DNA sequence: TATGAATGAGCGTTCATTCAT
DNA sequence: CATGAATGAACGCTCATTCAT
């Protein structure tokens, strides 16, 4: 009983371990730059072992994206399910959450990097991946904007995809900033506070300024 | 004599031609995926010729980033020099320009992609590159925000880097969107109009809503 | 007890089963092309099991050749022991038998293929093997030719190895044909009948034609 | 002029050199056993060079078979064109030629070996190859048999493919013998003389013996 | 200045073999 | 007796780089 279960547990855990290690290597070096041998070395095994579980580097890469893409989407959805309060409060919570995740989640950074860098080599996987993260976030935003507009809380014209994308865009900056300067943590709190303030007050001291 | 000067012209034009061809290959395939032979083939020469002007693929890559990074920066600066009108008008013009460039300039897309994909392999070159584009745009924005705040046109608190980054962020979306779906052109005009409207009116129908 | 003897029977039968399965794989794919895992899979066991009975793929291959080579030789000898009638009748029976075996016995084909393909890798084993089949058949023929010549039934000069080889050669064609076109069964009956007729009548209408 | 022609000559000669070297390696070790590096080493170059001329080991193998198959067929046809004398004389000359070639031509041996060993891996190439050698020889024989039968020189029934194959079969023995025992040269002259004698006189001292 | 044949280090992948269970 | 996860040597193929022409 116990005898078999040790190996079995190992075997069942391996694919996830490999995907995790591969994620790190791919994120750091890109698809071509990552060596299967180095992925294996992260687990303390040799490259042959990787091929026991994945038939090729390509398939492994796709598994990495699918695994973490699904994971990110699930986590976002879980968070959305917990939003509470009126529509303005919920939108604020969503924006804060997206900003905080973008700034702090290493996986998100890596996914974006890989999606951009390898889009030509794995178009379908990455398309799926991209829809599951950036597009998905925009859609969540859009729902709340529509709800708020319908309730008369927001201006009617903000119930648009363009607004949703505008609200989500600062997260791209956070992700990008994390990618380019991983050692200079962003001031997320200040950043998101400023975003919310802009949304509330706009740029101008005089409300409904004529120009711009 | 004439022959000589044709040759000379050729010789002097070659590095730039090679950098241009290399840019296209690198943008399409990444640093590792691009073959020196294919870069040469774009010019109708053979790979040996590339090595007459650049000692290695690495150096060529750095030259590509530096050349186009400087080019982009110069173009942005040139545009900024032509801004006119009051501060609000100039900010609007800048935002429109950044959005339009981000949506339509293939070189911008490629630079961002390469910067992200190869950041680990060429950290210094890309750091420089990144500062010359994204950071630079944010700084230009910030100047105008500070000017507007000082003049009392904008809220005082918007004279911050965080605001500048927020304003610039939608451009990242446009670049990203162009990278991921090059065949589905974005609705830049509608997108930028919505950004400007949000900046003017904020989200809420009731000005100065208490929460958010 | 009963369980034990079942196991024992299993254990004793295993080497033969493995050799049989290996023969099929080797015949189909060659020594290098055959995978130990596939040999094992034919028996419904895993590759570790093969190594319980054979220390290496090489040894297994040698066992395959020796086993089936001996088997073929034994079957030929058994048949020869049953030949009856006068020497001409016995020679005819032998020729028919060799032809029919060559055309119909899959094992013979496989042995010849393996002998030819792997002769450099296993020179001794295959030398043995070859002597046990082709050379052996020629020797059996030669005995009968010598007996017939001594009895004055055949021309004296046919009591030679060269004649024996000539008589045996058509079998090579049948084997080869079966190897190359396994789905186009040869017309063995017509083929052997024609061989016998040639042996009886020669090529020419005028007996003892002067030339040729 | 001279400058370029040295390299050009080299380049034009290379494919043939590589095919020749590859033929030797493939014949000795089989397709899987032959290493591209060893093929290159026979020419004093490195494996990269082989790939300048052939895109893969598979293609190189096919080129080897096609090159030498065509070569053998051409040589046989050339010889047939020079046959002279009456039909019996020409048949004799053809048989002698086929026997001598089979015994002495290393290329023929290698082709047969490769055809047999790699038939599953390269079915079409080898089918073509086989038709160009063995089948082709039988057809040449058949033509003469038909001519002789029509002329009333040979028995009518020998104008059959079965007879042709019977006449050609001893060549298979010579080829096979050369493959298996390259250091024991066959007694071709005696062997072929015996074949011809059998064809003329048959086996029996009494012409038209009743049985067999 | 330009060529392109040649090099050789490097990596993806396979598979015979081992051994802890 | 049997398993099958793990190993690691081997090989096909690629491509940046060199250099004789």
């Amino acid at each position: 009983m116990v005898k078999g279960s040790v190996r079995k547990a190992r075997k069942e855990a391996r694919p996830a371990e490999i995907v995790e290690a591969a994620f790190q290597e791919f994120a750091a070096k890109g698809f071509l730059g990552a060596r299967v041998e180095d992925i294996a070395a992260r687990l303390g095994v040799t490259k042959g072992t990787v091929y026991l579980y994945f038939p090729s580097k390509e398939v492994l890469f796709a598994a990495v994206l699918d695994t973490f893409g699904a994971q990110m989407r699930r986590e976002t959805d879980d968070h959305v399910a917990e939003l509470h309060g009126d529509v303005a409060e919920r939108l604020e919570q969503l924006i804060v959450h997206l900003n905080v995740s973008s700034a702090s989640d290493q996986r998100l950074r890596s996914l974006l990097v890989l999606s951009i860098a390898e889009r030509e080599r794995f178009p379908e996987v990455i398309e799926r991946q991209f829809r599951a993260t950036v597009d998905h976030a925009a859609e969540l935003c859009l729902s709340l904007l529509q709800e708020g507009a319908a309730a008369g809380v927001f201006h009617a014209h903000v119930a648009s995809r363009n607004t949703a994308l505008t609200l989500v865009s600062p997260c791209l900056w956070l992700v990008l900033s994390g990618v380019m300067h991983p050692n200079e943590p962003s001031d997320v709190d200040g950043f998101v506070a400023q975003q919310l303030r802009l949304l509330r007050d706009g740029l101008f001291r005089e409300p409904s300024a004529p120009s711009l």
Side-chain angles (χ1 to χ4, degrees), chain A residues 91 95 137-139 141-146 149 154-170 199:
Chain A
L91 182 60
I95 288 175
E139 278 157 26
C141 250
L142 181 54
S143 302
L144 289 177
L145 289 172
Q146 288 170 330
F154 300 152
H155 291 297
H157 62 78
V158 304
S160 70
R161 183 170 154 78
N162 279 335
T163 310
L165 292 173
T166 303
L167 298 196
V168 165
S169 291
L199 289 177

Side-chain angles (χ1 to χ4, degrees), chain A residues 1 39 47 69 102 140 172 178 199:
Chain A
M1 287 297 158
I39 293 171
K47 62 189 141 113
S102 301
L140 294 173
L172 292 179
L199 289 177

Side-chain angles (χ1 to χ4, degrees), chain A residues 114-134:
Chain A
L114 288 178
S115 297
I116 290 172
E118 311 299 344
R119 75 205 177 284
E120 302 269 5
R121 208 180 304 275
F122 301 91
E124 319 83 12
V125 191
I126 278 170
E127 175 70 23
R128 225 181 304 151
Q129 167 52 38
F130 197 70
R131 299 236 184 263
T133 52
V134 183

Side-chain angles (χ1 to χ4, degrees), chain A residues 29 36 62 76 92 94 110 124 130 139 146 154 183 187:
Chain A
K29 317 253 188 78
V36 174
T76 302
E92 177 177 342
L94 178 60
S110 300
E124 319 83 12
F130 197 70
E139 278 157 26
Q146 288 170 330
F154 300 152
N183 301 323
D187 163 28

Side-chain angles (χ1 to χ4, degrees), chain A residues 19-162:
Chain A
V19 163
E20 170 68 30
F23 188 31
Q24 316 229 12
E25 281 293 311
F26 284 139
K29 317 253 188 78
F31 178 73
L32 290 177
R35 298 165 65 235
V36 174
E37 194 157 12
D38 290 342
I39 293 171
R42 280 182 182 254
L43 302 175
V45 298
T46 58
K47 62 189 141 113
T49 302
V50 173
Y51 285 93
L52 288 178
Y53 299 91
F54 295 91
S56 73
K57 198 185 176 187
E58 253 104 355
V59 169
L60 176 54
F61 185 86
V64 164
L65 282 212
D66 284 340
T67 301
F68 285 90
Q71 196 175 103
M72 300 310 309
R73 184 188 190 116
R74 199 178 325 114
E75 289 181 18
T76 302
D77 287 342
D78 288 353
H79 188 88
V80 167
E82 292 177 8
L83 297 179
H84 57 273
D86 63 37
V87 69
E89 284 167 343
R90 278 179 284 136
L91 182 60
E92 177 177 342
Q93 289 162 27
L94 178 60
I95 288 175
V96 170
H97 172 70
L98 291 175
N99 273 267
V100 169
S101 299
S102 301
S104 61
D105 196 331
Q106 173 62 51
R107 297 167 302 165
L108 211 50
R109 283 206 269 276
S110 300
L111 276 179
L112 191 70
V113 166
L114 288 178
S115 297
I116 290 172
E118 311 299 344
R119 75 205 177 284
E120 302 269 5
R121 208 180 304 275
F122 301 91
E124 319 83 12
V125 191
I126 278 170
E127 175 70 23
R128 225 181 304 151
Q129 167 52 38
F130 197 70
R131 299 236 184 263
T133 52
V134 183
D135 285 357
H136 187 53
E139 278 157 26
L140 294 173
C141 250
L142 181 54
S143 302
L144 289 177
L145 289 172
Q146 288 170 330
E147 183 184 337
V153 180
F154 300 152
H155 291 297
H157 62 78
V158 304
S160 70
R161 183 170 154 78
N162 279 335

